[in-house]
C-alpha cells in the first residue's frame, strides 16, 4: 500500500516536471541551433527579404510542432476529445485546460528563437536593408535607383568587395540593428508582463473551475498510465500461463506415448516441477519444434478454470 | 518473485525509453559524422552532381538500414511473420504496427543527416554550381563562352583556389546564392518532416484508436512471451543439467563400488551435508577417474527415473544410451488437449 502510494506520488509530480523539463530542453536546443546555424544572407534584391523573414519565422513553426509532438499530454488530450461518450460524459472545460497548458508549453521554444533572432539582428538587417530610405544616409549621390537598390541589398555582406570599409554600410547596419534590438526587447517585455498578469490575475477569475479542471486533467493522465501498466502486467501473466499450459500439454502427450514408469516420490520435488516430465534430448527437441510450428492458441481459460 | 516482477515491469515500461535513447544517440552520431566528414568537391562538370547528391542521399539510406539492424525487435517481427500458422492465427494489424513503429524510429537519423547537410550548404553548392543563373547574377558584358567552357568554369565555384571565372560571375555571389537556396530547402525539409510527424501522431487517436490499442497490446504480448519462453527454457536446461550430472556421479560411485568389490564407504551418520555432497568420491584417484570419464564419455541426454537406474557407461566407452521405447509420431495427441 505504501509502495503504491509512493508510485502514485511519483506519477503525479512527475508528469508536470517532465513536461517542464522537455520545454526547457527545447528552449536551450533552439538557442544552440541558432548559434550553430551559419547565417549567410544572399545579398540580392528580392532574395534578402524572403531569406531573412524565412529564417525568422519558419524554424519557430517547426519548433512549435516539435513541442507538441514531444508532449505526451497532447495525445492524452486528443484521445479524450475524440473518444465516444460511452458511460462517461466529456467535460469541455478539462479539454480546454489541457489544450491551453499544452499550447503554453509549446510556445516557449519558438518565442525564444524569435527573441534571440531579433536581439542578434542579422535577420532583420538582411531582410530590411533594401527597404531603408537612402536619403537618410550619405554616399548615395549620383546613383540610379537600381544601383541604390543593389548597393543596399549588399549591406549585410561585410566581406563583399564593394562593401569593405564602407561607411554607409556600417551606418545602415547600425541603424537596422538598433531597430531590431529595440523590437526584441519590447517583445520580451510585453511577453513577460503578459505572463505575470495572467498568473497574478488568474485566481480572481473562476478559481474553483480551474481547480476542478486541473484535477481531472491530472486524473485522465494518470488513469491512462495505469491502464498501460496494467495491460503490461496482464500480458506478462497471460504469457506465463500460456507457456506453462504448453509445457503441461507436452508432458501429457509424453505420458501417453512412452512407457517410462512414473517416478515414485524420490528425488527433488523442485527439480521435478521445473523439468515438467521432459527429461530427454528428443523430448526437448520436440518441444522446441512444436513451439515453432504450432504455437498454442491464445486461450488460457482451461488453465484458469482448473 | 515480487522483486522479479518489479524489475520486469521496469524493463518493460522502459523498453520504449531505451529505444528512444538509441534513436537519440543515432541522431547525434549522424550529426557528428557529418561534421567529422571531410567534404571534397571534385570541381568537374559531371562529377559534381554525382558526388553532391551521393553524399546527400547514400549515407541516410545506410543510417536507415542501421536503424533497423540495431533494433532488437526486428528478429521478433521476422519470427512472427514467418512462423507457420499452427493453432494461432496471425494478425496482420499487429505485424503492421510493429513494422511502423520500427520504421519511424529508424527514420530519425537519416532525417537529421539530410537536414544538417542541406543547412550546411556544401553539398548543394557542389552539386548545382553549374546551374547558377549567370545572366542575372554575373557580368552580362563578358564575352560569351561556349556551353562546355562555361560549365567547366562554373564547376570550379566550390573550389576557391582554382576558380578562374571572377569576371564572369563573382565567387562569393554564386556561393551565397547557392547556400541561400540550400538553407531554404533545408528549413522547408525540416518543416515538412515535423508536420508529417505531427500529423501521424495526432491523426491516430482520431481514427483508429481501438485498433491501435489492440495492436499495441498484442505486440507487447508477443515480445513478453518470447522472453518468458527463453527464460523457462533456460531454467529447464539448468535443472536438466543438474539432474544429469547428479545421475552421472551416482552412476559412477555405484560402478566404483562394483569394480572394487567393496561397499561404498558409508558416511558416518553425523557427518552432515558436506559428506553427502561428496557423492561417494573421496580420494584423488577416484576424482581423476571421474574427470576423465566426464571428458571421454559424457552421459546421454536422458534422465532415467531412479527405479531403472543402470550404469551410465563409465567403465566402458561408447555404450549406447537408452532410447525411449516408442518412436513418436509427428502429429501428436497434443491436439487432444485443446
Amino acid at each position: 500500500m505504501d509502495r503504491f502510494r509512493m508510485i502514485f506520488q511519483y506519477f503525479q509530480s512527475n508528469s508536470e516536471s517532465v513536461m517542464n523539463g522537455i520545454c526547457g530542453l527545447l528552449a536551450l536546443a533552439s538557442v544552440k541551433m541558432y548559434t550553430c546555424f551559419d547565417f549567410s544572407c544572399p545579398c540580392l534584391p528580392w532574395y534578402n527579404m524572403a531569406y531573412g523573414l524565412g529564417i525568422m519565422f519558419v524554424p519557430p513553426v517547426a519548433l512549435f510542432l516539435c513541442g507538441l509532438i514531444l508532449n505526451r499530454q497532447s495525445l492524452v488530450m486528443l484521445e479524450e476529445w475524440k473518444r465516444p461518450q460511452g458511460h462517461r460524459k466529456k467535460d469541455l472545460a478539462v479539454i480546454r485546460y489541457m489544450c491551453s497548458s499544452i499550447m503554453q508549453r509549446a510556445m516557449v521554444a519558438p518565442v525564444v528563437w524569435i527573441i534571440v533572432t531579433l536581439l542578434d539582428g542579422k535577420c532583420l538587417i538582411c531582410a530590411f536593408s533594401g527597404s531603408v530610405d537612402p536619403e537618410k544616409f550619405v554616399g548615395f549621390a549620383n546613383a540610379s535607383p537600381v544601383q541604390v537598390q543593389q548597393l543596399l541589398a549588399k549591406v549585410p555582406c561585410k566581406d563583399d568587395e564593394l562593401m569593405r570599409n564602407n561607411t554607409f554600410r556600417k551606418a545602415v547596419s547600425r541603424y537596422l540593428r538598433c531597430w531590431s534590438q529595440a523590437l526584441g526587447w519590447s517583445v520580451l517585455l510585453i511577453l513577460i508582463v503578459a505572463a505575470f498578469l495572467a498568473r497574478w490575475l488568474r485566481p480572481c477569475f473562476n478559481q474553483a473551475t480551474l481547480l476542478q479542471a486541473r484535477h481531472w486533467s491530472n486524473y485522465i493522465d494518470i488513469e491512462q498510465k495505469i491502464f498501460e501498466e496494467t495491460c503490461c502486467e496482464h500480458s506478462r501473466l497471460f504469457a506465463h500461463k500460456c507457456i506453462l499450459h504448453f509445457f503441461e500439454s507436452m508432458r501429457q502427450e509424453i505420458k501417453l506415448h512412452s512407457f517410462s514408469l512414473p517416478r515414485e516420490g524420490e528425488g527433488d520435488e523442485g527439480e521435478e516441477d521445473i523439468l515438467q516430465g521432459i527429461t530427454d534430448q528428443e523430448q526437448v527437441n520436440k518441444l522446441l519444434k512444436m513451439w515453432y510450428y504450432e504455437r498454442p492458441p491464445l486461450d488460457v481459460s482451461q488453465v484458469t478454470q482448473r | 518473485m515480487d522483486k522479479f516482477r518489479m524489475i520486469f515491469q521496469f524493463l518493460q515500461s522502459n523498453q520504449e525509453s531505451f529505444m528512444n535513447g538509441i534513436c537519440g544517440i543515432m541522431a547525434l552520431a549522424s550529426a557528428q559524422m557529418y561534421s567529422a566528414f571531410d567534404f571534397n568537391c571534385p570541381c568537374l562538370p559531371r562529377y559534381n552532381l554525382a558526388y553532391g547528391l551521393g553524399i546527400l542521399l547514400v549515407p541516410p539510406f545506410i543510417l536507415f538500414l542501421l536503424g533497423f539492424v540495431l533494433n532488437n525487435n526486428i528478429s521478433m517481427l521476422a519470427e512472427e511473420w514467418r512462423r507457420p500458422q499452427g493453432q494461432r492465427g496471425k494478425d496482420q494489424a499487429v505485424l503492421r504496427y510493429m513494422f511502423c513503429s520500427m520504421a519511424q524510429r529508424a527514420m530519425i537519423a537519416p532525417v537529421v543527416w539530410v537536414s544538417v547537410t542541406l543547412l550546411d550548404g556544401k553539398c548543394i553548392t557542389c552539386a548545382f554550381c553549374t546551374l547558377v543563373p549567370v545572366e542575372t547574377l554575373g557580368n552580362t558584358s563578358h564575352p560569351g563562352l561556349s556551353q562546355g567552357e562555361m560549365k567547366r568554369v562554373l564547376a570550379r565555384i566550390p573550389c576557391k583556389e582554382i576558380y578562374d571565372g571572377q569576371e564572369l560571375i563573382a565567387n562569393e555571389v554564386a556561393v551565397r546564392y547557392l547556400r541561400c537556396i540550400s538553407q531554404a530547402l533545408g528549413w522547408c525539409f525540416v518543416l515538412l518532416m515535423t508536420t508529417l510527424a505531427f500529423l501521424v501522431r495526432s491523426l491516430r487517436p482520431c481514427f483508429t484508436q481501438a485498433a491501435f490499442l489492440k495492436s499495441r497490446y498484442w505486440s507487447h504480448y508477443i515480445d513478453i512471451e518470447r522472453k518468458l519462453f527463453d527464460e523457462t527454457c533456460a531454467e529447464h536446461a539448468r535443472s536438466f543439467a543438474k539432474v544429469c550430472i547428479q545421475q552421472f556421479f551416482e552412476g559412477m560411485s555405484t560402478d566404483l563400488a562394483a569394480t572394487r568389490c567393496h561397499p561404498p564407504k558409508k558416511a558416518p551418520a553425523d557427518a552432515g551435508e558436506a559428506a553427502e555432497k561428496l557423492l561417494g568420491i573421496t580420494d584423488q584417484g577416484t576424482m581423476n577417474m571421474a574427470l576423465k570419464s566426464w571428458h571421454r564419455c559424457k552421459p546421454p541426454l536422458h534422465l532415467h527415473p531412479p527405479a531403472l537406474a543402470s550404469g551410465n557407461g563409465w567403465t566402458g566407452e561408447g555404450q549406447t544410451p537408452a532410447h525411449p521405447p516408442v518412436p513418436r509420431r509427428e502429429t501428436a495427441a497434443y491436439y487432444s488437449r485443446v
Side-chain angles (χ1 to χ4, degrees), chain A residues 3 33 37-44 47 51 55 58-59 61-62 65-66 68-72 74-75 78-79 82 113 154 157 159-161 224 227-229 231-236 238-240 242-243 245-250 252-254 256-261 263 266 268 271 274-276 278-284 286-298 302 306, chain B residues 1-2 4-6 8-9 12-13 79-80 82-88 119-120 137 166 170 172-173 176-177 179-181 183-184 187-188 190-191 194-195 197-198 201-206 209 212-213 216-218 220-222 224-226 228-229 232-233 235-236 238-240 242-243 246-247 301-308 322-326 328-330 332-338:
Chain A
R3 204 182 67 191
M33 254 164 66
F37 177 63
D38 189 12
F39 188 92
S40 73
C41 196
C43 296
L44 297 165
Y47 289 73
Y51 186 82
I55 296 295
V58 167
V61 174
L65 291 174
C66 261
L68 289 179
I69 290 170
L70 291 176
N71 195 341
R72 219 188 125 267
S74 56
L75 268 181
L78 272 174
E79 279 170 24
K82 280 309 204 178
W113 175 279
K154 285 201 195 290
C157 297
D159 300 324
D160 195 76
E161 46 193 345
Q224 211 213 26
F227 180 74
E228 280 168 25
E229 295 268 326
C231 279
C232 278
E233 173 77 23
H234 184 268
S235 69
R236 197 195 70 84
F238 197 113
H240 190 52
C242 197
I243 289 169
H245 189 37
F246 175 74
F247 272 80
E248 178 70 27
S249 314
M250 287 300 294
Q252 299 290 333
E253 189 209 326
I254 286 160
L256 282 176
H257 283 271
S258 71
F259 292 130
S260 57
L261 298 174
R263 289 189 193 218
E266 244 183 277
D268 295 298
E271 303 297 342
I274 294 176
L275 285 176
Q276 305 255 11
I278 294 162
T279 52
D280 190 332
Q281 184 182 23
E282 277 192 31
Q283 291 167 5
V284 172
K286 179 152 193 217
L287 180 139
L288 294 172
K289 198 153 78 166
M290 267 309 202
W291 179 256
Y292 176 68
Y293 278 104
E294 286 169 19
R295 213 46 76 90
L298 291 168
Q302 295 134 321
R306 217 179 291 149
Chain B
M1 192 55 200
D2 217 9
F4 172 70
R5 200 181 341 150
M6 262 173 63
F8 197 96
Q9 265 175 358
Q12 176 62 31
S13 67
E79 204 183 294
E80 177 65 16
R82 295 303 295 169
R83 69 169 173 92
Q85 184 140 334
Q87 298 175 48
R88 186 189 289 184
L119 290 178
D120 188 37
L137 297 176
Q166 202 68 10
E172 302 85 35
V173 171
R176 273 200 305 259
Y177 175 78
R179 189 184 264 171
C180 155
I181 303 271
Q183 288 180 342
W187 282 117
C188 290
V190 167
L191 186 64
T194 348
T195 314
F198 174 72
R201 231 171 119 97
S202 59
L203 289 183
R204 201 238 310 133
C206 301
Q209 183 69 356
F212 167 76
L213 286 174
R216 192 172 66 175
Y217 179 86
W218 289 115
H220 278 169
Y221 173 81
I222 291 170
I224 290 177
E225 190 188 48
R226 189 176 71 141
L228 268 180
F229 184 75
T232 315
C233 282
E235 264 180 48
H236 187 273
R238 205 190 74 88
S239 304
F240 197 112
K242 192 162 156 186
V243 175
Q246 220 163 15
Q247 287 181 352
L301 288 168
H302 176 66
L303 308 177
H304 36 263
L308 299 176
H323 281 294
V326 174
R328 275 179 279 281
R329 286 176 284 124
E330 278 304 305
Y334 175 71
Y335 281 114
S336 65
R337 279 300 291 172
V338 294

Side-chain angles (χ1 to χ4, degrees), chain B residues 91 93-94 97 204 207-217:
Chain B
D91 192 355
V94 172
Y97 169 81
R204 201 238 310 133
F207 294 112
T208 52
Q209 183 69 356
F212 167 76
L213 286 174
K214 196 173 76 143
S215 310
R216 192 172 66 175
Y217 179 86

Side-chain angles (χ1 to χ4, degrees), chain A residues 159-177:
Chain A
D159 300 324
D160 195 76
E161 46 193 345
L162 285 175
M163 291 288 138
R164 272 185 218 134
N165 301 323
N166 201 321
T167 44
F168 79 81
R169 176 193 70 81
K170 291 181 192 163
V172 172
S173 285
R174 271 202 303 270
Y175 174 75
L176 285 170
R177 183 173 275 157

Side-chain angles (χ1 to χ4, degrees), chain A residues 196-212:
Chain A
F196 172 74
L197 283 176
R199 256 180 106 96
W200 214 46
L201 294 179
R202 199 170 54 185
C204 305
F205 302 102
N206 280 334
Q207 181 68 352
T209 324
L210 181 71
L211 285 175
Q212 278 178 11

